[in-house]
Structure formats: C-alpha cells, structure tokens
C-alpha cells in the first residue's frame, strides 16, 4: 500500500422497504424517485438495498432482513409503522425512518416523517370544487386507517370551503392496490354525478383511471407534478414522499439524523407539500395560495394525517 493514499470512508448502507410497486404513479413511485435522486446525488457514498411489493404479513420479516444488513432503514408508507416500531427494538444500533409516520410509539432509534396528507387534501378538495362542472367531487381511499380517513374528510371540507353546495362522495376499498375495487368505487361516484376525483391509492389508481377514461371524468393526481403528460389529470397535489426519502438519507449521510416525530407539510415548502393546477387561471392560483397561507397560519384548522 502506498504511503499517503487516503481511503474513502465506507459507504452509508441504506435499506428501503417499498411495500407497493415502485411504478404505481403514486406514493410508492414518489418514494422510489427520491431514492433514485439520492443515489444520483451521493454516488458511491451510499449503498442501497431495496425490497418492494411486500404483503402486510411479510413486512416484519422484510424489515429484519434490511435491518441486519444496513445502517439506515426507511419504511415508505404509514402501513410500515407498526412493523418498523417492532423491528427497531430488536436492532437498537440501526436507524429507522418512516415516511408517512405519525406520532406513534416513541422508540429511540426511529424517526417518523409526517407528510401531512390531510393538509394538502383540503387544498385538493378546494381545487376539485374549482374544476368541477357538475358540482360533485369524489375521493377513493385504500385502507381505512386514520391518516387516510382524515385526508378524505379534509378533501370534502376543502371542496365545501370553495363551494358550500358541493356534493361529496367518499369511498374506501380496504386495499391500496386492488384495481377492480377502485374502479367500482369510482364508477359508483360517477353514477352520482362526480366529475373530479381524488385518491390515496397505490396500484388501485389504475382502476380509477379506467373508470375516468370510460366516463370522461378527471382525476387530481398525487405526489408528483406531471402537468402536460396526461389530459386525464388537470391538477396534482405534491406530497413529498420522495423528498422525505432523500431527507432521511441526507441526514444520516451527514451525521445529523435524529429520531422522533417530524412534521413536513406546507410549512416545509413546495418540495414537501404543494398544489399545482395545470394551466391555472390567476384567480385559481390566488385562491389556492390564500388557502395554503390560511392553513399554515392556523386560520383553517385541519386534522392530523
């Protein structure tokens, strides 16, 4: 070995659990995009192991696999929280970050990043009311867990905030990935007059898309701004799932990672949370900006989630 040759520090080893599909056009894909961005930014300074498409029953074992081999483990989705909390206690030297984590059990090596979906769902509801021609809007959620239900409630409240006469149709499929159930729920809402739809689904979004295309209605997309790529989507809510994956890796890589609950949402800026109406009129943009400001100030109060 030559004297004076500096050796690069060992890379940060990162394990990422993406319970759904990394190409779902939603939460999971946004998380994967954040991981890809971190890999591009850090190159050989990080080494990544990823597991995707894991059933709820197999989540714990997948996390044990990741925790035994990595310094940082990221669970992409609130549905990973119970398993992460359990596994983290067995691996006290491993850091765990939950993207979509709430104020759950406090574990000294777990960070929960709250995307505050209910907050941006209120803004999405306001947007839906502005875009609707029929005066009826709808929401389809996957699992009926508090964060998903709270987002649905706030979507309805946001729509009523803009149009007190709006009709709001709300459905849950019990499964983020079931295409047939999501299509059925969306068709049921369309039968009641809904022409703008919002969702918290993963692969189940495919069913909503099928229904909307068949019946000529439209969808407010989630997680990533893809304006101009598909006329089915007149607007997008930005929920920074990928941003939080990047954040967890950046903090661990720089030695600044901290355990505990951390809220993101509108207060963390447009990469964390935002609403984009494709081709918005100045009036629409002004209304949305005012609503976001009132949520941040607490003038408009929204549920957790």
């Amino acid at each position: 070995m030559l004297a004076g040759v500096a050796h690069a520090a060992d890379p940060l080893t990162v394990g990422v659990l993406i319970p759904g599909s990394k190409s779902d056009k939603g939460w999971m894909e946004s998380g994967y995009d954040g991981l890809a961005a971190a890999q591009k930014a850090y190159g050989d300074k990080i080494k990544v192991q990823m597991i995707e498409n894991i059933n709820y029953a197999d989540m714990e074992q997948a996390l044990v696999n990741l925790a035994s081999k990595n310094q940082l483990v990221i669970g992409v989705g609130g549905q990973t929280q119970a398993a992460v909390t359990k596994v983290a206690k067995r691996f006290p030297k491993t850091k765990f970050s939950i993207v979509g984590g709430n104020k759950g059990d406090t574990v000294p090596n777990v960070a929960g990043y709250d995307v505050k979906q209910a907050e941006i769902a209120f803004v999405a509801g306001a947007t839906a009311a502005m875009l609707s021609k029929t005066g009826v809007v709808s929401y389809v959620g996957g699992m009926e867990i508090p964060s998903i239900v709270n987002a649905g409630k706030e979507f309805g409240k946001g729509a009523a905030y803009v149009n007190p006469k709006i009709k709001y149709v709300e459905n849950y499929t019990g499964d983020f990935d079931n295409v047939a159930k999501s299509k059925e729920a969306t068709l049921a809402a369309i039968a009641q007059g809904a022409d703008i739809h919002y969702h918290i689904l993963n692969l189940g979004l495919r069913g909503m898309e099928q229904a909307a295309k068949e019946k000529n209605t439209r969808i407010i997309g989630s997680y990533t701004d893809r304006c101009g790529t598909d006329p089915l989507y007149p607007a997008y809510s930005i929920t920074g799932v990928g941003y939080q994956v990047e954040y967890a890796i950046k903090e661990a890589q720089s030695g600044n990672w901290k355990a505990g609950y951390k809220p993101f949402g509108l207060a963390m800026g447009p990469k964390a949370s935002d609403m984009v109406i494709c081709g918005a009129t100045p009036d629409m943009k002004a209304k949305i900006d005012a609503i976001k400001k009132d949520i941040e100030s607490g003038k408009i109060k929204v549920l957790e989630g």
Side-chain angles (χ1 to χ4, degrees):
M1 183 171 69
L2 293 173
V5 175
H7 285 275
D10 288 337
L12 171 76
T13 53
V14 181
V16 181
L17 177 63
I18 295 180
S21 166
K22 69 178 190 290
S23 54
D24 66 354
K25 283 170 118 177
W27 179 287
M28 302 298 161
E29 187 167 333
S30 176
Y32 178 73
D33 288 346
L35 176 62
Q39 286 180 290
K40 188 176 177 182
Y42 293 108
D44 59 8
K45 290 179 183 174
I46 65 170
K47 186 179 177 185
V48 173
Q49 178 189 3
M50 185 183 81
I51 298 175
E52 68 163 327
N53 279 323
I54 288 290
N55 292 327
Y56 199 80
D58 300 324
M59 219 174 271
E60 197 177 315
Q61 188 52 49
L63 286 163
V64 167
N65 180 337
L66 293 172
S68 64
K69 299 171 187 171
N70 296 285
Q71 295 156 284
L72 171 68
V73 174
I74 303 170
V76 182
Q79 65 266 51
T80 69
Q81 184 154 344
V84 165
T85 302
K86 193 173 177 182
V87 172
K89 292 169 184 173
R90 289 173 54 189
F91 293 88
K93 292 181 180 176
T94 303
K95 299 175 176 72
F96 292 82
S97 290
I98 305 162
V99 175
N102 58 35
K103 293 179 184 174
D105 299 335
T106 303
V107 182
N109 57 330
V110 176
Y113 304 147
D114 187 351
V115 297
K116 299 189 85 66
Q117 288 184 105
E119 201 178 71
I120 202 62
F122 185 100
V123 188
T127 301
M130 287 182 216
L131 295 172
S132 177
K133 291 183 170 67
T134 63
V136 187
V137 298
S138 82
Y139 169 81
V140 178
M143 285 174 69
E144 212 164 336
I145 55 179
S147 60
I148 308 303
V149 172
N150 287 353
K153 286 178 182 173
E154 292 303 336
F155 178 78
K157 285 183 195 171
Y161 185 84
V162 167
N163 177 5
K165 293 181 179 177
I166 202 91
K167 182 180 174 184
Y168 170 50
V169 184
E170 184 178 3
N171 282 298
Y172 297 89
T173 64
D175 188 325
F176 291 112
D177 296 307
N178 191 305
V179 175
K181 284 183 180 177
S182 300
K183 182 175 182 179
E184 187 183 335
T186 307
L187 286 172
I190 293 168
Q192 294 181 66
D195 65 341
I196 302 289
H197 319 290
Y198 190 57
H199 71 94
I200 296 183
L201 298 165
N202 295 334
L203 277 177
L205 175 59
R206 301 283 187 273
M208 180 175 274
E209 287 180 328
Q210 288 167 14
K213 281 175 184 170
E214 283 175 18
K215 301 295 184 181
N216 200 27
T217 60
R218 295 189 295 168
I219 302 167
I220 293 176
S222 297
Y223 312 114
T224 305
D225 174 7
R226 292 192 175 90
C227 275
T229 61
D230 189 341
L232 194 64
Y233 291 90
Y236 293 89
S237 68
I238 311 303
T239 312
V241 177
Y243 176 72
Q244 289 176 51
V245 171
E246 286 185 77
Y247 179 87
I249 293 169
K250 175 173 74 78
E251 294 294 285
Q253 213 277 330
S254 64
N256 294 319
W257 184 93
K258 291 183 182 68
Y261 170 79
K262 183 174 180 63
F264 279 71
L266 292 167
M268 283 288 280
K271 283 188 177 178
S273 188
D274 203 5
M275 189 75 221
V276 180
I277 303 175
C278 311
T281 65
D283 182 52
M284 282 178 175
K285 194 172 185 314
K287 273 185 189 171
I288 292 300
D289 287 346
I291 289 168
K292 289 193 298 183
K293 192 175 174 183
D294 285 347
I295 291 172
E296 282 192 69
S297 71
K299 186 177 174 184
I300 295 175
K301 296 194 187 313
V302 298
L303 295 163
E304 289 292 324

